[in-house]
Amino acid sequence: MESPGISRRGLMVGGIASAALGTALATLGPGSARASATAAGAGPDPAKVPHTYFAFDTGLWNGHLMRNCEIRMGHFIKDDANNPLFREGVFESPRLPWEPRYDNGYPNVFWDPEHRKYRCYYTLFVRDPASLNTSPEERRTKDYVISGRQTGLCYAESTDGVHWVKPKLGIVEFDGSTDNNILFTDVQGTSVLYDPADPDPARRYKLLTLKEKGGTSLCTAFSADGVQFTPLRPWPANSPVPGGDCHNLVFRDSASGQFVLITRLWDSNIRVSAMSTSEDFLNWTKPVEIHRGSGFESQIYSMPVFEYEGLYLGLASVYHDGDTALANYDTVDLDLQWSVNTTEWNQVALADSTFIPHGPGTDAYPRGAFDSSVIFASVPILEDDKLWFYYMGGKGRHTGWRETSLGRGYVQKDRFAYYGSRLGNQPMELTTQGLNFHADNLQILADIEPGGWLTAELRNTAGTVVQAGFEASRSRLEDTGGGWRQIRWEGKSVRELDPKGFFALRLVSQKAKIWAVRGDIHVRPLKYEKP
């Protein structure tokens, strides 16, 4: 996945990952500036460009020189004023009988700058007699029986991300009428990629899905307008059987320029995440496993992936099976995972990587919050200083009666997880690996409570010897906005350091949360990147 001689860090420069390549992940919203083009496989010297490193990125830190510290997840803020944004059509007025059960939904939501609208593509059962004909109250006393179900793909759009319309597309006939928002039937786990970099406008929107009728296979299709797609074209080879029966998320990798598919395989009756790549969106490599959970009780059901400041972040829907006595049995959590290369993955926080928490009422169906039991998310949309995540939330356990709706929420930009002290009344100590400085900018994203403090000093590469003039007592923090603070040392400049040297940054704080470090720096490659 890496270009020869150029690190992943070197290619991810200052924000959104190569939007001009069609990645736009996190995708850009209507109020956000678009990143400039960067050709795949080319870029500036990674040692001479700014970098951002997040607290949860173990490649930043020296694990031997840390004390009283713990990674904790940031705060996901749900749009309670508007959630749910829309729900299954059988509960709308007028009733939409082709939307009896969204099930997992597998939402693909992005802002389309060309047509100035948000688009949402979602998987569902267009036919499910049990859900269609049984009211929520009747479901209290009946078991859910799977029979006569048919999958499909539907479409909705919005001008503000809050108020959604399910347009009458006139494409697929359902019970004698095409007045519906169905794009395809007998498909599931569909991904739609908006790719403005493709020179062929007829391929602007790229679709990948699992076709279930007439021979199961992963298929591709193209569209000029995001609605009228070409007929599905089966993969010429390598379509997994079984497999692909999940949220098949496609993005264009900014390092290689390849299309990357994150899909699912099965191994000994366990769901595992897998990856396939393509140069042309038509011919795909054999999917190979890249990530798995732990046994039956924590399976990676699906994992949409997006690029963010030099890392890949995965929105892992974690399915809990294997022990009916557990409180979380047959539910799906939404955790955040991270990787530097897409092939090895890590939890953000070892204790609990839950990113989008469930609403209350897991056992209260048909009551309870719309997202009380199951969550599947779309990659985020960046708008100003917020990353908005649209997600399908379900109330009712995964394999039983369930109602699913689209919701949304956000995290503040760059605030995925932070280092905080295990014992709040004692200082927290953190030390980075060696950093090389090629200019003066060095900032830390930190929240400091009233009565709290944070100091910084520079040491030798091993983190054992303080550099003269860069002692903690001389450090100063200057607020630069948004929680970012410039680190300076009284009477000194990092430009005075050996330009070829690497120096460890030691941070000591109390009553503080440390989210990220950024600036004219790069981390010593040793132990950070695989050969």
Side-chain angles (χ1 to χ4, degrees), residues 104 139 169 200 223 272 342 347 378 394 471 477 482 490 527:
N104 301 332
R139 296 176 186 183
L169 301 177
D200 183 354
S223 172
V272 298
T342 72
Q347 294 186 68
S378 178
E471 299 85 356
L477 300 179
E490 194 173 297
K527 294 184 179 180

Side-chain angles (χ1 to χ4, degrees), residues 34 67 120 142 181 313 316 378 407 519 523:
R34 182 163 295 279
R67 182 180 178 85
C120 177
K142 294 183 179 181
N181 60 321
L313 299 183
S378 178
V523 171

Side-chain angles (χ1 to χ4, degrees), residues 397-418:
R397 294 182 187 269
H398 177 263
T399 57
W401 294 112
R402 191 170 12 141
E403 296 172 37
T404 301
S405 305
L406 183 73
R408 73 171 192 168
Y410 70 89
V411 294
Q412 294 289 336
K413 187 177 184 292
D414 301 333
R415 294 172 184 260
F416 297 104
Y418 64 91

Side-chain angles (χ1 to χ4, degrees), residues 384-398:
D384 301 320
D385 63 345
K386 295 181 176 65
L387 284 167
W388 285 95
F389 293 82
Y390 289 80
Y391 65 97
M392 287 290 186
K395 60 178 177 178
R397 294 182 187 269
H398 177 263

